[in-house]
Structure formats: structure tokens, C-alpha cells
Amino acid sequence: MSGHGAPIDELRERLRGAGSICVLTGAGMSAESGIATFRDALTGLWSRFDPAQLASEEGFRADPALVWGWYAARRDGVRRAAPNAGHVALGAFARRHPGRLTVVSQNVDDLHQRAGNAGTIRLHGDILEDRWLEACKRRPACDTLTATPGTPPRCAECGNFVRPGVVWFGEMLPAGALEAADAAAERCDVMLVVGTSGAVWPAAGLAGRARRGGAHVVIVNPQPSEIDDEAHTVLRGTAAQLLPALLDGL
Ligand code: APR
């Protein structure tokens, strides 16, 4: 598998010798699976929808039906999507080299998990997961599966709304996720940063943490990102093109 061009061949040697590899992914990782990114001009969700209205607790409380409907449509899109060659290359590498690869994702889809990276650290939650809007005060807590169907479903006991298990703007990341991601970034020998604009923190800070920890940082993105300065190598291409070229056969 030589002859991919100097940067790829050099990186393959680095990856071959790396005891620990961390992969930070963003929406661009799933773009070739047909899932829209957030900030790509015109196609990005935030160029068509207002994040404050659709991805915040205030927005949900202001119009639960609108927000639930929007997530229901995105959920359908995720269920119809399939892992692309980039997801598959990461899953296959992890199977060949158990314990050497840690995937840290900002994505709320389940394509990494479906491709074999079951241990993916999810920084921004899971779009297919249901949660109560208010913490249920009953013990044992009511199960969202028992919610009365609707847009959105509600608790038959107390009227509590069901909301998607994603991290909305202004909310805390899932407990332990950032700590685990920080640890993976700190210990890795190589970090691949794939398909993120680097616009959202604290996720965007993981590239700098890896660099300060001595890792070789590689960015995979067809466009410039806000964290290109943290990279030792920038590869202008897509996830489905470049991840197989970097990892297959290793
Ligand atoms: N392969 C690799 N990168 C791609 C591809 C592709 N096929 N297609 C687009 N990209 C790049 C774009 O150039 C862009 O830099 O993916 C990036 C997507 O950036 P965003 O849309 O900003 O997505 P992301 O960085 O994941 O956003 C972070 O913001 O809205 C919140 O919670 C949401 O997790 C999300 C967070």
C-alpha cells in the first residue's frame, strides 16, 4: 500500500508505530453517509435552521412540538444512514489492534458504533436516546418507554416531556466524557482530527491538548478549520477517502 504520496506514507509509518491513537471526529465524518453537517455553507443545518430555536432548552420549552419534530426527522436520517468507508476503516483498525485506538466524537449519530467502535466517547450525547426534560422525582424513576406517545411524548404520571439525549447549547457535556477524552488526547502518540470546524469548545481544545502532550496532530478536512494551527499535518480531503488510505492494511 505504498505510493499514496509522501504525507500519507509517512503518516502510515507513524500510525504503524503508534502505541496509542486518538481520533477526534465531527459532523464531516458522517457527511459522506448523507448526514448534514452544521456549518457547511448552504448545506449545513445552521445555515437553514436557528440553533437557539432548535438546539437549546429554551427553544424546546418555547415550542416542544417544533423541536421534537426536527429531531424526529434527524433521527430518521440517522437510522437510514450507513457507516461510510471512513467509519469502516476505523472500526476495522480497532478490531485488528484492540486497545490502540480511541474514538472521541462530537457526533450524535451511531455510525462509529455500528462500524465497530463500540467504545466511542460521545461528547455531545446520542440523538437516538430519549431523556426526560426534568429529572424524574419518582423512585424508581419513570421509564421514558412508558411515556404517552405524542409530539413530544409525555409522562402519563406527571406530564414531563421526553427530549432527545443530545447536548444542547449551554448544557454540560455527559459526565466523565470530557475527562476520558482529555486522557485519550494526552496519552496518544498520533491524533487524527476528522471533519470538524473546530468551532465548538471544549471539543476543539482536544487537538491542542494532544499536541502539548507530544502527539503528532493530523487534520483531515477538505476545508480550513479553526484549529488548523494545532496540526503538524493537514490533509485536504474527505473522511471516506483518507481514513482508508491512512489505516487500511496496517
Ligand atoms: N470529510 C471530512 N470533513 C468534512 C467532510 C468530509 N466528507 N465534509 C465536510 N467536512 C468538514 C467541513 O469542512 C467542516 O470543517 O467538516 C466540518 C464540519 O463542521 P461543523 O458543521 O461545524 O460540525 P462540527 O465541527 O462537528 O460541529 C461541532 O457544533 O452544532 C454543534 O453539537 C454540534 O457537534 C456539533 C458541534
Side-chain angles (χ1 to χ4, degrees):
M1 284 212 142
S2 63
H4 291 268
I8 300 276
D9 289 342
E10 277 162 32
L11 288 171
R12 285 174 61 82
E13 285 321 303
R14 245 179 221 285
L15 290 160
R16 193 192 302 280
S20 170
I21 301 165
C22 182
V23 184
L24 172 65
T25 67
M29 179 77 224
S30 297
E32 291 154 289
S33 295
I35 298 180
T37 67
F38 294 91
R39 292 174 186 81
D40 279 344
L42 305 177
T43 59
L45 292 172
W46 299 150
S47 67
R48 291 179 280 147
F49 302 101
D50 173 3
Q53 188 190 24
L54 292 163
S56 72
E57 185 175 328
E58 295 71 35
F60 181 82
R61 289 182 185 280
D63 193 339
L66 173 76
V67 175
W68 183 261
W70 188 66
Y71 278 94
R74 288 181 60 200
R75 284 179 167 186
D76 289 347
V78 168
R79 291 190 187 101
R80 282 196 306 272
N84 61 54
H87 296 106
V88 171
L90 292 169
F93 186 93
R95 268 190 300 280
R96 289 194 303 274
H97 306 285
R100 275 182 62 195
L101 185 87
T102 304
V103 178
V104 175
S105 189
Q106 299 170 82
N107 297 345
V108 293
D109 63 54
D110 63 345
L111 298 180
H112 281 306
Q113 289 80 357
R114 280 197 253 158
N117 297 103
T120 295
I121 298 170
R122 318 183 83 154
L123 293 176
H124 295 163
D126 174 359
I127 198 171
L128 299 177
E129 181 200 301
D130 281 348
R131 273 199 352 237
W132 293 121
L133 179 63
E134 321 284 355
C136 179
K137 298 185 182 56
R138 292 166 182 268
R139 290 297 168 268
C142 302
D143 186 327
T144 54
L145 288 173
T146 64
T148 308
T151 310
R154 303 186 76 158
C155 179
E157 305 295 330
C158 67
N160 200 353
F161 279 121
V162 172
R163 56 160 286 179
V166 298
V167 176
W168 279 331
F169 287 100
E171 292 188 327
M172 301 288 288
L173 274 56
L178 188 56
E179 293 72 16
D182 273 339
E186 201 135 318
R187 73 167 175 270
C188 69
D189 306 301
V190 177
M191 174 177 271
L192 304 176
V193 180
V194 183
T196 183
S197 60
V200 171
W201 289 70
L206 292 165
R209 180 175 282 276
R211 186 179 178 114
R212 290 190 300 279
H216 186 89
V217 177
V218 180
I219 284 189
V220 174
N221 194 324
Q223 302 291 328
S225 81
E226 295 181 23
I227 50 176
D228 281 8
D229 294 352
E230 299 291 2
H232 298 92
T233 310
V234 173
L235 300 175
R236 290 278 168 249
T238 75
Q241 287 163 347
L242 289 171
L243 288 175
L246 285 168
L247 298 170
D248 286 3
L250 289 187

